Amino acid sequence: MPVAGEQVWYWFRELDCQRTSNGFGPNAIGFQAISEWSRLRGVTLKQWQLDAIIALDLKRRELAAKQTEKPEEEQQVSERPLTSRLFDAIFPNKRK
């Protein structure tokens, strides 16, 4: 972590642990939450610091979304050739 970013990282971690969730994943840290946090802490953010917090928030939510994704199951394909008898066994004729 670059020295210049250590304070922003600390601030982001503090905001992150107060984040809410919607049941499907973490909610974004909104401008209202950042503004309220800033007021309570007596911190006046510079534009680059605000941009960095927003970028960290976006990356955090991207990583959380990837953790919840299920890997696609590989379709298993039979090595047996499809013959008419095998087709009839798989899809029997319902008409009688």
Side-chain angles (χ1 to χ4, degrees):
M1 170 72 59
V3 175
E6 285 180 4
Q7 187 64 53
V8 175
W9 176 246
Y10 175 79
W11 292 337
F12 170 72
R13 287 181 37 214
E14 194 170 78
L15 284 162
D16 186 46
C17 56
Q18 298 301 314
R19 168 192 311 272
T20 60
S21 175
N22 60 18
F24 296 101
N27 289 327
I29 299 172
F31 288 116
Q32 289 178 331
I34 295 171
S35 176
E36 185 64 15
W37 168 86
S38 176
R39 186 188 66 75
L40 288 170
R41 289 291 185 207
V43 174
T44 302
L45 294 174
K46 295 179 182 171
Q47 186 64 46
W48 74 267
Q49 293 168 327
L50 177 60
D51 293 342
I53 289 171
I54 292 168
L56 288 166
D57 178 50
L58 180 61
K59 183 53 77 174
R60 163 74 167 85
R61 288 183 290 123
E62 284 176 5
L63 292 172
K66 286 182 181 178
Q67 289 176 348
T68 60
E69 289 178 0
K70 295 180 182 176
E72 292 184 25
E73 294 180 22
E74 292 184 28
Q75 291 184 347
Q76 295 182 355
V77 179
S78 174
E79 293 181 13
R80 291 177 59 182
L82 183 60
T83 63
S84 58
R85 287 184 60 191
L86 180 57
F87 183 87
D88 289 341
I90 295 172
F91 304 104
N93 187 356
K94 303 263 181 193
R95 290 186 268 155
K96 290 194 179 193

